Structure formats: C-alpha cells, structure tokens
Amino acid sequence: MENLITEFKQVLEEEKFSKNTIYQYARYLNEYVSQYGDPAKQPQKLIYKNIKKIQITKKGKIPKAEEEKKEDVKKLTTAKGQTLKSVIAYLKSKGLPSYDLVKLFEDVKKQESEKAEENKLEADESLPPYMTYSDDVNRLYDTNEPEKIRQYLINKLLVTSNCRNQDLVATIIKTKNELDHMDQTKNYIYVNRNTLKFIRNDYKTVKSYGTKITTVSDEKLANSARIVLQHDENHNLIPEKYWEQNLSRFVHNATFKLGETNIMKMYLKHFNSLSQAKKISDNRGTSLEKLQENYNINQGN
C-alpha cells in the first residue's frame, strides 16, 4: 500500500498540484485503501458502495469499517466528497474510467451545498463583530511576547491578503539576495524597512492565477515579521512541525478559535461592498461568482 500512495503522490507532484492538495488526496486515498483495498482493482459499483459507507468521527478521522456502527460517529458528506475526489484522481492517474464516481461526486456536492446553506445563517450570527476581533488582534502586538506577536502576524496576514491556511506556510526573509534566489514553489514574507511583501507561489489555485504578492506598508506588521524571524530557528511563520499535520488546528487556535473562513466572513460583513468582494477575489484566487454564491454581498460600491 505504501508504494501505491507514494507513486500517486509522485504523479500529483509532476502535475504541479499544491502540497496541501497532494497531502489531502494521499490521506483520503490511504484511508480508502486501508479499509477496502486498491480501487484500481475494483468495479466502480463496489467503489460506490464502499464510499457510501465512509463516515467521519468528531475528531476528523475516518473510522475503520468495523467501527462504522458506533453511536458517536456522525455521518458527514464531507468525508465522502474528500474520498471521492481522491479516488477519482487516483483512477485518472492510472488511466482508468471514473464516470460513475463523477456522477456520485456531483450528487455529494449538491448535498453539501444544501447543508451549508441551512447552517450558514445560524453560524454567521454567532460570529463576533469584526472590530471586536480587530481590537483583540492589536492587543496581541502590545504584549511584546514573541508567540503572541506570531499570532498577531498570522491574523493580520489573513485579513490583508485574504489567504487560506496553507498559504501561511511561509519563510520570512529580509535580504535582497534571499529575495532574488527564493524557491519559486514556496511562499515567503519579505520584510524591508516598514514594508512587508507576502509572496505566494504555493496556494490552492496557483495554476489558474499565478504568483500572488500582497504588499503592505505598516511599521507594526513589518516589525512583527522581524520578531518572528528572530525567534523561530527556521525563520518560518508557522512552526515546521505543523506543516503536514494539525495546520488547521494551529491556525484555528491562533485566530481565537475562529479560523480563516470565519475571519473572511466577518470582514465581508463589515466591509460589505462589491469592491471589497473583488479585492478578496483577487487576493484569494477565487472567482467573484463563487463569493457571490456563498455570501450576501452588497452590489453597491
């Protein structure tokens, strides 16, 4: 099984998938294979039945087949969707058909969309006002504690660049030589005097939108990057031990247990205009239509 996953990851790397996508695909394919065997050797009807049985626990782990009947296991379409995408990508990498699974995936996406619409209003009402959140973030800088200042920098970058969690896997640099010789497949935070450049070469939609650069002139932001650079031995915004596992949890805790999606929701609700939506669309590498589909955006300026 290990060779199967390794070969699959190599194919994805050759096709220039992002590191996070490769990790997610490999994770869910591994879960499928460990429970049901190699899908390349199975008819699609059997794969369909297996994926229909996939459930996810509250801890976010897909249980083994024998554990599926436990009362504390909640059935979520997210697990099906992630497993489906992984298996479809794997079958395509083998040159095998996947048309029945594609149809199932479309059905699952519809279910997820309907469920998300039901929960959206209730969840949005529970979020704090954006300015309350902003005041909490600013107080982090005033502590003068390196880890609190790392937390400050994370939150500020989420707001100024509207990025995703994976984008925050970035190295902080401060010399022109480092900038000129950076790895074009990685993310960087370049700090020069009171200006910070957040350079994203590795993010979800990089193949569609190319490298993203967010430039911010702000003394506190630039200084916070210098402090993190000084106190992290590898000069990373996110400690390296969280890159492959628990990244979402780390960012969740750093953002007062809000998470990057809720921060974007608060931002959009506070600065609700078409121009702000366009800014987020450009920064995030997401179509404006997708934002309008998921958020109640004021069509005025």
Side-chain angles (χ1 to χ4, degrees):
M1 183 178 72
E2 186 176 340
N3 288 340
L4 181 155
I5 301 298
T6 300
E7 290 173 4
F8 179 50
K9 289 170 71 175
Q10 288 174 346
V11 172
L12 296 178
E13 288 170 0
E14 289 171 3
E15 294 183 4
K16 307 297 183 184
F17 281 85
S18 72
K19 291 180 180 178
N20 186 54
T21 300
I22 293 171
Y23 170 75
Q24 292 295 336
Y25 276 4
R27 173 196 168 194
Y28 281 94
L29 179 63
N30 183 65
E31 289 289 352
Y32 181 94
V33 172
S34 67
Q35 294 179 47
Y36 305 115
D38 185 353
K41 299 177 181 179
Q42 300 168 353
Q44 290 187 56
K45 287 186 177 179
L46 176 59
I47 298 172
Y48 177 94
K49 290 179 180 179
N50 290 339
I51 291 177
K52 282 185 71 175
K53 292 186 287 185
I54 288 288
Q55 295 177 316
I56 192 166
T57 66
K58 294 177 182 179
K59 293 182 179 179
K61 296 179 181 178
I62 300 177
K64 299 297 181 185
E66 61 269 19
E67 297 176 329
E68 288 175 351
K69 294 183 180 179
K70 286 187 177 181
E71 291 181 0
D72 63 339
V73 175
K74 185 178 180 182
K75 188 176 182 180
L76 296 176
T77 58
T78 300
K80 294 179 185 178
Q82 291 290 352
T83 308
L84 267 169
K85 286 193 288 186
S86 303
V87 172
I88 289 170
Y90 172 67
L91 293 177
K92 286 183 177 179
S93 75
K94 293 285 188 179
L96 297 172
S98 59
Y99 39 84
D100 290 342
L101 297 181
V102 171
K103 176 63 170 64
L104 175 59
F105 180 51
E106 290 171 353
D107 292 342
V108 169
K109 282 182 69 176
K110 183 179 178 181
Q111 292 176 35
E112 289 178 337
S113 178
E114 290 171 352
K115 185 66 176 177
E117 191 64 32
E118 291 174 9
N119 295 334
K120 188 170 68 174
L121 286 177
E122 182 180 344
D124 289 354
E125 289 301 317
S126 68
L127 295 176
Y130 173 78
M131 291 311 298
T132 300
Y133 160 75
S134 183
D135 289 342
D136 289 342
V137 171
N138 288 329
R139 278 192 285 271
L140 292 170
Y141 183 87
D142 297 332
T143 64
N144 291 320
E145 299 175 21
E147 285 307 312
K148 295 290 186 184
I149 290 174
R150 187 201 298 268
Q151 191 179 347
Y152 168 85
L153 181 56
I154 288 169
N155 280 275
K156 284 292 186 180
L157 287 176
L158 285 170
V159 170
T160 56
S161 70
N162 311 115
C163 67
R164 300 175 178 85
N165 290 342
Q166 185 64 32
D167 304 9
L168 296 170
V169 174
T171 301
I172 302 171
I173 57 177
K174 64 177 182 179
T175 68
K176 184 67 163 54
N177 184 59
E178 289 175 304
L179 182 65
D180 291 341
H181 294 87
M182 65 181 180
D183 186 332
Q184 298 296 325
T185 65
K186 296 181 179 179
N187 299 337
Y188 293 89
I189 298 167
Y190 174 57
V191 57
N192 181 31
R193 297 183 180 178
N194 292 332
T195 299
L196 180 148
K197 284 188 176 183
F198 185 22
I199 306 164
R200 288 177 285 157
N201 294 304
D202 180 26
Y203 66 98
K204 185 176 181 179
T205 54
V206 66
K207 290 197 290 186
S208 298
Y209 295 93
T211 297
K212 292 283 184 184
I213 301 177
T214 303
T215 303
V216 184
S217 295
D218 183 284
E219 183 178 357
K220 285 186 177 180
L221 197 61
N223 192 46
S224 68
R226 292 190 186 91
I227 292 171
V228 176
L229 185 151
Q230 181 181 351
H231 286 86
D232 189 284
E233 62 179 355
N234 296 313
H235 303 168
N236 296 319
L237 174 61
I238 305 289
E240 197 165 337
K241 62 182 178 180
Y242 297 108
W243 285 10
E244 293 297 331
Q245 296 184 9
N246 299 318
L247 175 62
S248 294
R249 183 182 300 176
F250 181 87
V251 176
H252 183 75
N253 290 334
T255 56
F256 311 101
K257 300 190 182 301
L258 288 167
E260 52 103 350
T261 301
N262 283 331
I263 290 172
M264 188 175 69
K265 286 181 181 178
M266 292 188 299
Y267 184 91
L268 263 175
K269 185 176 180 180
H270 185 76
F271 302 100
N272 193 351
S273 68
L274 189 58
S275 61
Q276 286 298 325
K278 288 177 179 176
K279 171 180 171 288
I280 291 174
S281 171
D282 183 61
N283 282 344
R284 197 170 171 83
T286 301
S287 70
L288 183 59
E289 291 75 16
K290 190 75 173 176
L291 288 176
Q292 290 174 317
E293 181 181 310
N294 290 288
Y295 303 98
N296 183 24
I297 297 171
N298 189 330
Q299 298 302 303
N301 294 326

